[in-house]
Amino acid sequence: MDQYVTKLFECWNCSKQRIGLVILNQPIDEQFFHVLWSKAKIRACADGGANHLYRLTEGHRESFLPDYINGDFDSILPEVKTFYTEKNCKMMETSDQDLTDFTKCLAVMVEEIKAQKLQIDTIVTLGGLGGRFDQIMATVETLFHAQKMTDLPVVVIQDRSLAVLLKEGRQHHLNVNTGLEGKWCSLVPVGSPCLTTTSGLKWNLDNQVLTFGQLVSTSNTYEAHDPKEGRKPVRITTDRPLLWSMGIKPQ
Amino acid sequence: MDEFAPLDCLLPSAKIRACADGGANHLYRLTEGRRESFLPDYINGDFDSILPEVKEFYTHKNCKLMETPDQDLTDFTKCLAIMVEEIKAQKLQIDTIVTLGGLGGRFDQIMATVETLFHAQKMTDLPVVVIQDRSLAVLLQEGRQHRLNVNTGLEGKWCSLVPVGSPCLTTTSGLKWNLGELRACRPQVCPPTQTPKHTHTDIPEDHLPVCTILFALFTWPVLVRRHSLPLTAQISSKHPLMLQLMQFVRPRFRKGSHLHHWV
């Protein structure tokens, strides 16, 4: 089985991590924004995400121009659209009503990464885990689509939660020893029951089926470890896509 | 046929009220100045979230404090279990269990809310509805035809069907994008914005097509309440189907006014 090492937080503390950054239509977490922006080789806003970027970067907007803004443009404010158009950000109207702005933004990003031959390790999304409940569910749906679009991990961050959809048929090694990890973590079989095995968690699974109504792992945490040695990676295998989420320590 | 109006619960009043652990902190804060008028029947949990002063206050006011330390179930699940028992024991006539909170904050706790809705289906036949900000969610039981009255005037623009946990064979009517004879794989999104259908068609049970649900995202303009015909959505599914309804149009009540009806 492939070993698949997911470097979830190395986008913070490893200057070599190169990311693609997507900003969605949710308040931007300022504590993450600057470090992610600086590590990004390509940056995009999905529709109303541009409003939040515009607001957050008041006073130095020219230093924070996205490479492109996509969407059906029903959320972006006229003044925001005008500003970024004048600054020559690519405005890509993606009016396909069968897909969300987030999915379309990712699709464009994957194409741009290929076209520009960018070396990217992870695509990081700010927003998507709060607000309208159907849009939280739509984020999960986009993560399923993303697996068909790219092999890159697509990570979603909002407030102090991070979520990533783990592909089936691989052994995932999650490095959770960056010092940025919060207390909780979770494994949720969002689309179907998942036959799962883990190690490194306080409550591990041993070839057990995670399924709604019977067994879902929330409020889990990491196994105790010797502070001198640091946490071992969490290992997870699953036979179906499985949603990992975790808390981020307040900075 | 299961028929209910999801937003009816916003009209007064509750016959039994409870807080799950730290929910009591929010109640305490919100009702400052008139706390005695808003006493829950019980507060349950492992009490790792409730503040000491809050716990003391409600204990002195003779609210039942029920320590439920079972670590395999969330405070929400345990709270519901107690509520179902109390409803039986007191022979209360209850139509719906409404939950405030559960759809925001820590992401794993949002997922835990969904898990609780699955457990709830095994505990009770009553609909268990969850509301936070301007979202409402309810898990539709499989094997039934659900008929949702969405003409209260409180409905917002959007609604949504999400097959959490497994693919769902589904049929709908009354939505802008209905689900019919379609073969599903894991979810695909349906177009999110269109004008509403203002009539509904009953699907005779013997003609219910078997089809697989897609993750369908719908919107519903505010105009719906101008129509006199009852607007209902009918949904049937072979597997539990999470229905998330409707952002509220705008607050129907003045801030805090719904509290007036609690006493």
Side-chain angles (χ1 to χ4, degrees):
Chain A
M1 185 176 286
D2 290 341
Q3 288 209 353
Y4 179 67
V5 184
T6 305
K7 302 176 168 76
L8 290 174
F9 282 134
E10 292 188 19
C11 47
W12 260 262
N13 58 11
C14 170
S15 58
K16 290 192 195 128
Q17 260 262 330
R18 298 148 302 198
I19 66 167
L21 180 62
V22 171
I23 297 174
L24 299 183
N25 192 7
Q26 283 288 304
I28 297 177
D29 296 291
E30 205 165 345
Q31 61 178 324
F32 307 132
F33 171 74
H34 290 281
V35 67
L36 290 173
W37 186 275
S38 66
K39 291 185 190 317
K41 298 297 166 222
I42 179 169
R43 309 167 179 104
C45 298
D47 208 340
N51 300 334
H52 295 281
L53 179 66
Y54 185 82
R55 191 159 41 240
L56 184 73
T57 57
E58 187 182 353
H60 27 218
R61 289 183 177 124
E62 283 82 358
S63 303
F64 296 96
L65 300 175
D67 295 288
Y68 67 92
I69 301 171
N70 80 292
D72 39 28
F73 296 143
D74 59 354
S75 302
I76 191 171
L77 297 168
E79 65 189 278
V80 174
K81 191 174 176 199
T82 304
F83 175 81
Y84 288 116
T85 309
E86 279 169 8
K87 297 293 174 187
N88 295 322
C89 304
K90 247 192 280 185
M91 305 296 286
M92 302 173 84
E93 190 156 0
T94 48
S95 53
D96 181 351
Q97 287 302 313
D98 285 343
L99 299 171
T100 61
D101 292 333
F102 179 20
T103 305
K104 290 178 281 189
C105 191
L106 272 185
V108 171
M109 186 163 285
V110 167
E111 284 309 307
E112 289 292 310
I113 288 169
K114 268 190 221 153
Q116 298 177 39
K117 296 188 177 23
L118 297 171
Q119 295 302 309
I120 299 285
D121 304 299
T122 309
I123 296 177
V124 180
T125 309
L126 280 176
L129 303 181
R132 252 173 66 170
F133 189 61
D134 66 328
Q135 288 177 347
I136 299 175
M137 295 293 101
T139 296
V140 175
E141 168 69 349
T142 295
L143 296 182
F144 275 81
H145 283 288
Q147 290 200 341
K148 292 182 263 178
M149 290 190 232
T150 176
D151 274 339
L152 293 175
V154 178
V155 155
V156 186
I157 293 174
Q158 183 162 358
D159 289 331
R160 299 213 293 273
S161 297
L162 176 151
V164 63
L165 188 65
L166 303 178
K167 287 189 181 179
E168 72 254 46
R170 301 181 182 195
Q171 190 178 76
H172 298 270
H173 289 219
L174 307 182
N175 175 356
V176 290
N177 196 39
T178 64
L180 295 163
E181 292 75 17
K183 283 190 302 185
W184 63 269
C185 58
S186 163
L187 286 165
V188 182
V190 276
S192 62
C194 295
L195 184 64
T196 311
T197 300
T198 70
S199 67
L201 299 173
K202 178 160 183 182
W203 291 283
N204 283 304
L205 298 156
D206 183 9
N207 215 36
Q208 290 165 270
V209 175
L210 289 174
T211 184
F212 274 101
Q214 285 171 41
L215 185 63
V216 170
S217 180
T218 60
S219 294
N220 206 333
T221 189
Y222 307 102
E223 69 182 2
H225 68 280
D226 183 341
K228 282 184 244 146
E229 287 181 6
R231 275 195 197 121
K232 288 188 233 150
V234 169
R235 288 168 205 244
I236 303 168
T237 54
T238 172
D239 69 335
R240 299 293 294 141
L242 180 60
L243 191 66
W244 163 265
S245 62
M246 63 196 292
I248 307 170
K249 206 186 263 186
Q251 305 301 294
Chain B
M1 186 187 295
D2 278 7
E3 188 163 338
F4 85 117
L7 291 173
D8 249 0
C9 58
L10 291 182
L11 303 169
S13 65
K15 300 283 170 243
I16 177 169
R17 307 166 180 103
C19 298
D21 207 339
N25 299 335
H26 295 280
L27 178 66
Y28 185 81
R29 195 161 35 239
L30 182 73
T31 58
E32 187 182 352
R34 341 154 254 185
R35 288 184 179 124
E36 284 82 357
S37 303
F38 298 97
L39 299 175
D41 296 288
Y42 66 92
I43 301 170
N44 79 291
D46 39 27
F47 297 144
D48 58 355
S49 301
I50 191 171
L51 297 168
E53 63 186 281
V54 174
K55 191 176 174 195
E56 210 176 302
F57 174 82
Y58 288 115
T59 309
H60 281 155
K61 297 294 174 186
N62 295 322
C63 304
K64 250 190 276 182
L65 278 289
M66 304 172 84
E67 191 156 1
T68 48
D70 182 350
Q71 287 304 310
D72 285 341
L73 298 171
T74 61
D75 292 333
F76 179 21
T77 306
K78 290 178 282 188
C79 191
L80 271 186
I82 295 168
M83 186 161 285
V84 168
E85 283 309 309
E86 289 291 311
I87 288 169
K88 268 190 222 152
Q90 300 178 36
K91 296 189 178 23
L92 297 172
Q93 295 304 309
I94 300 286
D95 305 301
T96 310
I97 297 177
V98 182
T99 310
L100 282 176
L103 303 181
R106 249 173 66 170
F107 186 64
D108 67 328
Q109 288 177 346
I110 299 175
M111 296 292 101
T113 296
V114 175
E115 170 67 351
T116 295
L117 295 182
F118 275 80
H119 282 288
Q121 290 199 340
K122 291 180 259 180
M123 289 190 231
T124 176
D125 276 341
L126 293 174
V128 179
V129 152
V130 186
I131 294 175
Q132 182 159 0
D133 288 333
R134 300 214 294 274
S135 296
L136 176 152
V138 63
L139 188 65
L140 302 180
Q141 289 197 352
E142 71 258 41
R144 301 178 183 198
Q145 192 178 79
H146 299 272
R147 198 177 160 103
L148 308 178
N149 177 353
V150 289
N151 199 35
T152 64
L154 294 166
E155 292 76 15
K157 284 192 296 187
W158 61 271
C159 58
S160 161
L161 292 162
V162 183
V164 273
S166 65
C168 294
L169 291 161
T170 310
T171 307
T172 70
S173 69
L175 299 170
K176 173 129 191 172
W177 291 281
N178 285 303
L179 298 160
E181 300 258 9
L182 293 167
R183 175 96 184 86
C185 334
R186 215 277 164 188
Q188 296 170 31
V189 177
C190 287
T193 50
Q194 289 179 18
T195 52
K197 279 187 149 157
H198 296 297
T199 57
H200 65 273
T201 37
D202 284 296
I203 299 172
E205 289 200 35
D206 55 339
H207 291 316
L208 280 173
V210 170
C211 58
T212 319
I213 192 184
L214 306 185
F215 170 17
L217 187 67
F218 305 104
T219 61
W220 217 316
V222 171
L223 293 173
V224 65
R225 66 185 157 186
R226 294 199 195 150
H227 294 263
S228 57
L229 281 175
L231 180 63
T232 62
Q234 292 199 115
I235 300 160
S236 63
S237 171
K238 293 275 177 186
H239 299 280
L241 171 64
M242 162 144 279
L243 174 69
Q244 303 133 46
L245 285 178
M246 301 175 270
Q247 188 177 10
F248 304 149
V249 171
R250 56 177 177 273
R252 172 76 170 257
F253 307 102
R254 287 176 293 112
K255 185 180 170 182
S257 68
H258 60 282
L259 294 176
H260 174 73
H261 300 286
W262 193 342
V263 182

